[in-house]
Amino acid sequence: MNNNNASASHQNFSQEHLKSPLILPFAAAAKMEQPPEPTAKRSYWRFSKEDFFPEPTFENFSTYRSAVAKTPQRLKDRLLSRSSDDTELVVLKKQSENSMHQCLTWWDLMWLGFGSVVGSGIFSLTGQEIHDHAGPAIVLSYAISGLSALLSVFCYTEFSVDIPTAGGSFSFLRIELGDFLAYIAAGNILLEAIVGAAGLGRSWSSYFASVISSNPDLLRIKIDSFPEGFNLLDPLAVGILALCNGIAMSGSRRTSILTWVSSLISAVVIIFIIIVGFIHADTSNLVPFFPYGPKGMFTAAAVVYWSYTGFDMVATMAEETKKPSRDIPLGLVGSMSMITIIYCLMALALAMMVKYTEVDVNAAYSVAFEKIGMKWAKYLVGICALKGMTTSLLVGSMGQARYTTQIARSHMIPPYFALVHPKTGTPIYATLLVTTLSCILSLFSSLDVLSSVFSFSTLFIFMLMAVAVLVRRYYVKDVTPRNDHVKFLGCLFVIFGSSIGVTVFWCLNKGGWIGYVVTGVFWLIGTLGMAFLPRKQSPKVWGVPLVPWLPSLSIFINIFLIGSLGVVAIWRFVIASAVMLVYYVLVGVHTTYDVAHQEEPELKIEEGKANENQGTS
């Protein structure tokens, strides 16, 4: 009789709870004896409390109050927990109910990378940095920044090949650095996505106005009662953001084709600019090559680095790639290598056309072409820059939505935003979330307010990605001996400490060559010590070369560039992170805890049933 009751109880529990929006995607992974009964297909267009907060914690106020009382215990659990490749690849995908379409090849990824990176930066920043900081050495500034970006591309590529999921850096960090650090990264990813899109929308509006007038604020509405930096309303920025996100929602393949066709046209225009520049070149303009010394060259490198950002969005397309092991390395590494060469050639062409002291800081290429009698080229440059920003918005719309989708799949934000539309194969709700927030920001906020927040978030995530590669190679839970683990952490501490030391000396302009030598030697010792440690894991298909040297160098460069942003950017980052922590303690820690431990009631029932069976045998 007891056995029958236990069996009936187990059956009723399974049928009731396996239909829950929270439990359903994870039931198969728990390998329970009784599979869930088929459920009716739910409409994509829905809006209910269960879609936003299906977790037991948020069932009612009483359950939430009980969960909050256990916050220290749950926070400790989340701090120590790490995800797995299978969880990110298989289990979490079921939260989306429908699959994204695998329709992209290496050709698509290469031009998505080109389209996401080559925007207005090369046109707006090159003249400014030639004139103010680097002179002709701007070529080396672009080469240094390109090398730094390529190091980060290597890190993204290794993870994307091994774990081809929409989560990008969020999923990679969740696996290697744990749930809590992944949340901090997730918050910064969303911040980067929203602020970056808003900033790009404002840039598009400014550049479009500059093409038809000398006033970049021509198409904005001034509200005198609003504070400075928020008093120029920009409806055009809102319009272009809405348009690009609408196209991105219609389908990945369609957006990809539009991007690579327009990027090919842009590449032809850029080649024209380079050829004409070299034809009208005067090598005497390259002397002196270092008018501001090495410091000016490195300062320019920190600034023009932003011309390379955007490639991380392409890593989120891995889930929609036909052959990730082939297409991702070719697409990501190929596009960044091509972009670095193009940037260096464009910078060199400008440096040879015009003496660095005579370069126009606001419209360098347009004015340079006017001086050689090609006044019409001003419009060609303007159209190319606008096209570049438009494709950056298109690819950004795709990437930002896929980041958001994976974050929602983990329940760090409501799983409602993880749903993929069955027809388009795109995460429409996630796209609408990012679009709405970025449109609000772009309407009110000036570009200088937005840019510093975006810069810090980007570099912070790139630095964590390099750390994640090192952790993936040298540490495997329950496999790495404690002694090797301690040595690894010690080496990592030395790498971080020495990188921060160099950055402090540089920013304060103190310490002289002795300070740089001492901190440089410590960085070398830390990296060399890590190189002699036994590796516990190798990449499955494609890996970052020269580990730990290249990831360690990436950590150093990103910390160095973070230090160049100034105190205001750091404070904005700290304030934003504090807000994220408040949300995490009140919501995120409980939702992710429920997801991680949701199978425990089932397992306890199975265990109780087994014990009863043993007792009666």
Side-chain angles (χ1 to χ4, degrees), residues 413-487:
I413 62 175
Y416 180 78
F417 298 106
L419 298 175
V420 171
H421 194 276
K423 185 176 181 180
T424 65
T426 58
I428 290 180
Y429 291 134
T431 308
L432 287 174
L433 173 66
V434 177
T435 303
T436 303
L437 294 173
S438 58
C439 283
I440 293 171
L441 271 181
S442 68
L443 180 63
F444 293 98
S445 305
S446 65
L447 190 59
D448 61 326
V449 171
L450 297 169
S451 60
S452 60
V453 177
F454 172 77
S455 302
F456 201 114
S457 298
T458 303
L459 287 171
F460 177 71
I461 294 166
F462 287 174
M463 179 195 69
L464 288 180
M465 283 295 296
V467 175
V469 168
L470 294 175
V471 172
R472 190 167 180 83
R473 296 292 184 90
Y474 291 98
Y475 175 74
V476 176
K477 187 177 180 180
D478 300 326
V479 173
T480 303
R482 179 175 175 80
N483 189 40
D484 287 344
H485 188 199
V486 171
K487 290 178 181 177

Side-chain angles (χ1 to χ4, degrees), residues 103-414:
C103 56
L104 303 178
T105 66
W106 67 269
W107 177 264
D108 297 298
L109 294 181
M110 185 174 71
W111 288 108
L112 284 169
F114 186 92
S116 67
V117 174
V118 181
S120 62
I122 181 65
F123 298 102
S124 60
L125 294 178
T126 308
Q128 169 190 305
E129 294 309 304
I130 283 181
H131 186 276
D132 295 344
H133 293 121
I138 189 68
V139 180
L140 297 181
S141 299
Y142 269 107
I144 292 168
S145 294
L147 172 63
S148 174
L150 194 59
L151 294 176
S152 293
V153 166
F154 283 151
C155 298
Y156 273 88
T157 301
E158 176 173 328
F159 278 107
S160 297
V161 170
D162 280 1
I163 313 162
T165 184
S169 55
F170 168 69
S171 291
F172 310 149
L173 296 176
R174 195 162 180 251
I175 291 169
E176 299 303 334
L177 302 186
D179 205 65
F180 178 74
L181 273 179
Y183 167 77
I184 297 298
N188 278 281
I189 288 167
L190 289 178
L191 179 66
E192 173 191 353
I194 296 164
V195 172
L200 203 52
R202 298 281 294 202
S203 294
W204 198 100
S205 174
S206 295
Y207 222 98
F208 183 78
S210 299
V211 170
I212 60 178
S213 168
S214 59
N215 179 16
D217 295 327
L218 176 68
L219 302 174
R220 291 174 179 144
I221 303 169
K222 187 172 184 180
I223 307 294
D224 293 328
S225 59
F226 287 6
E228 188 70 27
F230 303 92
N231 60 342
L232 289 174
L233 305 189
D234 198 335
L236 182 59
V238 174
I240 191 65
L241 281 169
L243 176 63
C244 290
N245 281 275
I247 294 172
M249 282 189 285
S250 67
S252 299
R253 184 60 181 166
R254 183 179 303 169
T255 309
S256 173
I257 293 173
L258 179 62
T259 300
W260 69 254
V261 169
S262 59
S263 294
L264 277 172
I265 297 172
S266 181
V268 171
V269 174
I270 288 173
I271 291 171
F272 167 79
I273 293 172
I274 292 171
I275 292 174
V276 172
F278 277 97
I279 290 174
H280 294 84
D282 182 356
T283 54
S284 65
N285 289 331
L286 296 178
V287 181
F289 193 74
F290 292 97
Y292 301 101
K295 186 176 180 65
M297 179 189 69
F298 283 111
T299 300
V303 175
V304 301
Y305 183 80
W306 316 127
S307 299
Y308 287 97
T309 56
F311 63 84
D312 53 319
M313 295 298 170
V314 183
T316 65
M317 310 298 171
E319 191 170 316
E320 296 158 271
T321 304
K322 290 182 178 179
K323 295 182 179 179
S325 60
R326 179 201 66 185
D327 295 337
I328 293 173
L330 285 174
L332 272 176
V333 178
S335 62
M336 187 52 66
S337 301
M338 176 175 62
I339 290 165
T340 302
I341 294 171
I342 286 174
Y343 278 1
C344 290
L345 290 175
M346 287 186 70
L348 181 60
L350 181 62
M352 291 195 297
M353 286 175 68
V354 186
K355 191 72 174 178
Y356 74 93
T357 54
E358 300 173 6
V359 170
D360 188 287
V361 296
N362 296 312
Y365 286 93
S366 299
V367 174
F369 279 111
E370 284 184 22
K371 287 185 177 181
I372 61 175
M374 299 177 68
K375 200 169 184 179
W376 55 270
K378 167 187 176 181
Y379 300 101
L380 188 67
V381 171
I383 291 171
C384 188
L386 283 173
K387 197 281 331 161
M389 284 186 278
T390 305
T391 53
S392 293
L393 282 170
L394 280 171
V395 181
S397 298
M398 296 174 68
Q400 293 151 11
R402 281 142 188 82
Y403 269 134
T404 307
T405 298
Q406 193 75 2
I407 295 169
R409 285 171 174 174
S410 72
H411 288 236
M412 285 189 178
I413 62 175

